[in-house]
């Protein structure tokens, strides 16, 4: 959406300023002196693919000189040389007074050369957002919510807090935010905000950083994340729409992020990789939105593992154009979706989004089996329609990579899952502990507890009824444990007839209470098979995590209590 003439802070050679082009109109957010010089180099016909610019709009965030010093010169130049009007939009009455004084009294701009108005009158601006910056600019510093081509972006301007923007971020596709490496009270410190920004990328939002001091150091900090630097316009590019420089630059930016993510020693969440792969597909075919769908054949559903511009959706495997493409094993395009019987318009009705064109491309594993599908929506260039041959050719790169990544993801998931009970196994436990539970033992205000349980006299079940019935008992117990496990907790098959449940924000007493309720359920519900009815019970050992001990040592504590429960009569909870 936004491209930057510069993304530097006030002490950089090229100051922060962004723009977008809509037909023959140029929309700028702020205009520094360096931005004015860049605009002259690009030229009147270098911005618009439709020819010469006919109008320029400028939205002012605040009146610091590194943000507005180029505005008077641009007004003069457009008036005397380009003969096109300039509209300056300001966010408040106070900023209106400041800009009027600056343009009239200090720079002497001819009032016939520009229009000074409120920013929310500019058609791309949906909201002005008051924010905090320096004390001298109290009440006179703002950010913007911008909409263009059905995408919503938050542009913070210079700010010391993201709090004013959070109500808008929830519905946004992109966030352009300033950050600093240093402890400056008037700017956002990257270290203090990094976790929140990463969480936004995990939701499928694109996060871009701007107003930067030291890009090299900043890149080291965000190296293993999906956060990006604000995209720069290539000054050597004579016409940004009539060549492939920007296109190639966008592809390489995502490719670099993919490489960083996949080679990170921290073992990034695979969702980040699918988010990036989806963004890559969107860029490759120049689509407004894209999503990657995983085919879960076990549950007969399709669900988005990554989607730009939407939240995760789960649908039956035969639903919509994605379901049709996978069932028939072929690429599907439609450039008239509302008259296509297989198009599901429910999401559009709920959100107000208008779908004009769709391409769905099935994705296979290395054995040629369909495992998912790419879906791209609303072609943004040419005639606005997807063309099967050319767009599939472009999308095939991302589809192949996504297929390999998904196959790897499925393989990893299977290696963490016990095939008999469908519970996570021991390997899954240690993987989850690092990603989900470790923070609970490093934060003194959080509590983490677990119980380990064992089916009493399970060997005699196998000896009396056979191993097939023993397997049914294991699945029966696993089902009861799963049904009584909260979404924030986890249940695992530890091995043999042993199971573990780990509970967050829970002390030992509450964990023992949960264990007791499950003990009663198992005792009261026999396992019924085609041949036998098997009565069985569980014994439990409960412990609260000791932060001074390792994971293994904490489990050993619970295991010792389980041994005590067994030795003292079974079918009981020891804590």
């Amino acid at each position: 959406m936004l491209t930057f003439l510069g993304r530097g802070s006030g002490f950089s050679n090229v100051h922060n300023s962004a723009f977008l082009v809509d037909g023959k109109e140029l929309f700028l957010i702020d205009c520094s002196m360096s931005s004015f010089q860049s605009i002259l180099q690009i030229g009147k016909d270098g911005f618009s693919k439709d020819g010469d610019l006919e109008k320029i709009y400028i939205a002012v965030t605040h009146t610091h000189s590194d943000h507005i010093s180029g505005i008077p010169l641009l007004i003069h130049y457009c008036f005397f040389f380009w003969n096109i009007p300039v509209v300056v939009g300001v966010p408040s009455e106070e900023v209106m007074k400041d800009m009027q004084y600056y343009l009239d009294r200090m720079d002497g701009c001819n009032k016939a050369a520009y229009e000074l108005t409120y920013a929310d009158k500019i058609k791309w601006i949906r909201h002005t957002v008051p924010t905090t910056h320096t004390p001298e600019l109290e009440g006179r510093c703002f950010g913007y919510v911008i909409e263009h081509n059905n995408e919503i972006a938050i542009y913070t301007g210079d700010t010391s807090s993201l709090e004013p923007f959070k109500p808008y971020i929830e519905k946004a596709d992109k966030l352009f935010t300033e950050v600093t490496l240093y402890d400056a009270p008037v700017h956002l410190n990257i270290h203090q905000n990094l976790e929140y920004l990463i969480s936004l990328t995990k939701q499928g939002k694109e996060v871009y950083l701007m107003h930067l001091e030291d890009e090299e150091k900043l890149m080291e900090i965000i190296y293993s994340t999906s956060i990006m630097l604000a995209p720069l316009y290539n000054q050597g590019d004579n016409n940004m729409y009539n060549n492939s420089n920007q296109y190639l630059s966008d592809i390489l930016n995502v490719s670099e992020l993919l490489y960083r993510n996949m080679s990170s020693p921290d073992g990034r969440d695979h969702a980040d990789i699918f988010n990036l792969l989806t963004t890559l597909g969107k860029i490759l075919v120049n689509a407004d939105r894209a999503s990657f769908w995983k085919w879960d054949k076990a549950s007969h559903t399709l669900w988005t593992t990554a989607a730009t511009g939407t939240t995760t959706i789960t649908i039956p495997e035969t639903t919509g154009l994605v379901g049709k493409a996978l069932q028939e094993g072929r690429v599907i395009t439609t450039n008239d979706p509302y008259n296509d019987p297989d198009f599901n318009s429910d999401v559009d009705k709920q959100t107000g989004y208008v779908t004009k064109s769709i391409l769905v491309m099935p994705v296979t594993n290395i054995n040629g089996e369909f495992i998912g599908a790419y879906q791209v929506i609303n072609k943004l260039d040419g005639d606005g329609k997807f063309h099967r041959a050319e767009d599939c050719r472009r999308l095939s790169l991302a589809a192949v990579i996504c297929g390999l990544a998904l196959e790897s993801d499925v393989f990893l998931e299977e290696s963490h899952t016990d095939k008999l009970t469908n519970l996570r196994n021991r390997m899954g436990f240690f993987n989850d502990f690092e990603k989900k539970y470790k923070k609970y033992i490093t934060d003194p205000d959080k509590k983490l507890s677990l119980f380990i349980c064992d089916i009493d006299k399970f060997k005699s079940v196998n000896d009396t009824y056979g191993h097939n019935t023993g397997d049914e008992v294991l699945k029966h117990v696993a089902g009861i444990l799963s049904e009584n496990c909260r979404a924030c907790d986890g249940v695992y098959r530890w091995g043999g007839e042993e199971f573990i449940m780990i509970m967050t924000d829970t002390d030992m007493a509450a964990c023992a209470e949960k264990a007791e309720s499950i003990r009663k359920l198992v005792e009261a519900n026999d396992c019924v098979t085609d041949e036998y009815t098997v009565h069985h019970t569980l014994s439990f050992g409960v412990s609260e995590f000791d932060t001074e001990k390792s994971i293994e040592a904490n489990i050993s504590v619970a295991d010792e209590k389980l041994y005590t429960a067994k030795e003292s009569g079974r079918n009981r909870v020891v804590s």
Side-chain angles (χ1 to χ4, degrees):
M1 178 192 285
L2 293 176
T3 306
F4 282 66
L5 295 167
R7 59 188 178 210
S9 69
F11 304 104
S12 305
N13 292 329
V14 183
H15 294 147
N16 196 85
S17 184
F19 73 91
L20 64 81
V21 176
D22 195 339
K24 295 186 178 184
E25 296 178 323
L26 173 66
F27 171 52
L28 292 161
I29 304 180
D30 294 333
C31 182
S32 64
M33 189 65 70
S34 60
S35 298
F36 167 68
Q37 292 168 344
S38 297
I39 291 168
L40 294 190
Q41 290 177 19
I42 296 168
K44 185 181 177 183
D45 61 351
F47 283 99
S48 174
K49 62 182 177 181
D50 298 320
D52 289 351
L53 291 177
E54 293 182 350
K55 199 167 188 178
I56 294 177
Y57 297 83
I58 308 170
V60 175
T61 60
H62 62 293
T63 53
H64 275 173
S65 58
D66 62 312
H67 290 260
I68 65 167
S69 57
I71 295 178
L73 279 175
L74 184 60
I75 289 172
H76 286 304
Y77 198 88
C78 287
F79 184 68
F80 290 111
F81 293 95
W82 285 357
N83 193 29
I84 60 175
V86 174
V87 177
V88 180
V90 295
S92 69
E93 185 176 354
E94 284 296 310
V95 181
M96 174 79 78
K97 293 176 183 176
D98 293 342
M99 284 302 300
Q100 193 76 69
Y101 184 85
Y102 182 61
L103 295 177
D104 290 354
R105 300 292 298 277
M106 297 186 69
D107 265 279
C109 290
N110 188 325
K111 286 194 175 182
Y114 70 95
E115 176 189 349
L116 187 61
T117 186
Y118 288 103
D120 57 12
K121 303 292 185 185
I122 296 176
K123 60 185 174 181
W124 301 281
I125 293 178
R126 294 293 169 263
H127 302 282
T128 57
V129 184
T131 187
T132 54
H133 188 31
T134 64
E136 294 79 10
L137 287 177
E138 182 68 34
R140 289 146 58 205
C141 197
F142 290 77
Y144 293 109
V145 180
I146 302 157
E147 184 172 0
H148 183 243
N149 284 338
N150 293 312
E151 282 192 318
I152 296 175
I154 310 297
Y155 186 96
T156 66
D158 288 8
T159 184
S160 60
S161 173
L162 284 173
E163 288 300 320
F165 300 95
K166 287 184 177 179
Y168 304 100
I169 289 173
E170 182 179 345
K171 296 182 179 179
D173 305 294
K174 303 173 188 288
L175 170 66
F176 297 87
T177 182
E178 68 103 55
V179 293
T180 181
L181 291 162
Y182 307 103
D183 191 15
V186 297
H187 290 290
L188 287 171
N189 185 289
I190 183 61
H191 301 288
Q192 295 170 4
N193 292 275
L194 185 61
E195 186 175 345
Y196 174 66
L197 296 178
I198 290 172
S199 73
L200 294 180
T201 65
K202 290 182 180 295
Q203 297 170 32
K205 301 182 189 298
E206 297 173 28
V207 176
Y208 298 94
L209 306 182
M210 60 185 188
H211 202 265
L212 314 174
E213 310 103 351
D214 191 326
E215 293 189 5
E216 189 172 335
K217 287 184 180 178
L218 187 62
M219 288 292 283
E220 291 176 4
I221 294 170
I222 64 173
Y223 183 82
S224 61
T225 76
S226 297
I227 299 169
M228 298 176 275
L229 301 189
L232 283 176
Y233 169 60
N234 186 350
Q235 294 286 6
D237 184 358
N238 214 19
N239 187 310
M240 62 182 295
Y241 289 98
N242 293 332
N243 63 77
S244 60
N245 283 5
Q246 188 65 42
Y247 178 70
L248 180 60
S249 176
D250 289 343
I251 292 172
L252 293 177
N253 282 341
V254 176
S255 299
E256 183 186 10
L257 284 170
L258 273 169
Y259 175 77
R260 287 188 210 155
N261 220 304
M262 296 178 76
S263 61
S264 167
D266 297 330
R268 302 294 301 163
D269 192 328
H270 282 200
D272 291 341
I273 294 173
F274 286 113
N275 282 333
L276 289 168
L277 285 168
T278 306
T279 301
L280 178 62
K282 175 181 168 182
I283 292 168
L284 285 168
V285 297
N286 197 17
D288 178 40
R289 293 188 175 186
S291 57
F292 179 72
W293 294 78
K294 178 182 175 181
W295 189 3
D296 188 339
K297 296 179 183 178
S299 63
H300 304 290
T301 58
L302 301 166
W303 52 279
T304 53
T305 52
T308 55
T310 185
T311 53
T312 300
I313 300 171
T314 301
I315 60 175
E317 64 184 0
T318 57
T319 302
L321 294 169
V322 175
K324 182 178 181 180
L326 286 170
Q327 295 296 322
E328 298 182 5
R330 64 184 180 91
V331 173
I332 288 179
T333 59
T334 177
N335 295 305
D336 187 16
Y338 292 108
N339 288 316
D340 191 316
D342 293 303
F343 174 64
N344 185 351
S345 61
D346 290 347
V347 175
D348 284 14
K349 290 175 183 176
Q350 293 171 12
T351 63
Y353 185 79
V354 178
T355 302
K356 299 175 182 177
S357 53
I358 302 173
L359 183 150
V360 182
M361 187 175 189
V363 169
T364 67
N365 60 21
I366 58 173
N367 295 319
E369 300 165 338
F370 293 113
I371 55 176
Y374 246 115
Q375 179 175 253
V376 285
I377 297 175
N378 286 4
K379 183 82 169 175
L380 294 177
D381 58 6
D383 57 8
K385 298 178 179 179
F386 287 110
H387 298 277
R388 186 171 306 192
E390 181 59 27
D391 287 315
C392 282
R393 179 168 161 265
R394 292 187 175 202
L395 191 58
S396 59
L397 170 65
V400 168
I401 299 173
C402 214
L404 293 172
L406 178 56
E407 187 170 29
S408 172
D409 195 54
V410 170
F411 179 78
L412 180 64
E413 186 66 23
E414 287 178 350
S415 72
H416 289 171
T417 303
D418 174 57
K419 288 182 172 56
L420 177 65
T421 62
N422 284 324
L423 297 180
R424 304 277 281 173
N425 59 22
R426 189 178 294 216
M427 189 184 299
F429 173 88
F430 285 109
N431 179 76
D432 289 353
F433 197 92
E434 286 297 314
K435 291 184 176 181
K436 293 169 59 177
Y437 307 126
K438 198 171 185 179
K439 61 184 178 183
Y440 286 89
I441 61 173
T442 57
D443 187 338
D445 295 326
K446 293 182 180 293
K447 289 188 179 295
L448 190 71
S449 297
L450 68 83
F451 65 70
I452 185 167
C453 61
D454 179 287
I455 301 174
D456 295 327
K457 299 182 178 179
F458 184 70
K459 183 178 182 301
S460 67
V461 172
N462 281 329
D463 291 344
T464 304
Y465 303 104
H467 287 278
N468 288 341
T469 300
D471 287 348
E472 293 301 316
V473 171
L474 288 168
K475 288 191 284 185
H476 180 70
V477 170
I480 292 174
L481 288 166
S482 295
E483 289 168 7
N484 291 275
C485 179
R486 300 177 302 176
C488 58
D489 301 335
V491 60
Y492 305 84
R493 184 180 179 189
W494 193 240
E497 65 270 30
E498 286 188 331
F499 301 86
I500 281 181
M501 184 179 288
I502 191 163
M503 302 186 68
T504 60
D505 295 310
T506 304
D507 61 17
M508 186 158 61
C511 187
E513 186 178 340
K514 168 66 77 171
E516 177 62 18
S517 68
I518 292 173
R519 185 196 67 77
K520 290 178 180 178
L521 278 172
V522 171
E523 185 180 29
N525 290 275
D526 294 343
C527 175
V528 180
T529 72
D530 291 339
E531 297 181 83
Y532 306 106
T533 297
V534 182
H535 180 73
H536 54 288
T537 59
L538 297 182
S539 297
F540 295 78
V542 184
S543 70
E544 186 174 323
F545 261 78
D546 182 345
T547 57
E548 300 298 318
K549 295 179 179 178
S550 66
I551 307 171
E552 292 82 1
N554 274 287
I555 292 172
S556 291
V557 171
D559 203 34
E560 288 171 7
K561 293 177 180 179
L562 171 62
Y563 180 78
T564 300
K566 290 282 194 182
E567 290 296 301
S568 57
R570 299 185 177 86
N571 190 23
R572 64 191 60 206
V573 175
V574 174
S575 59

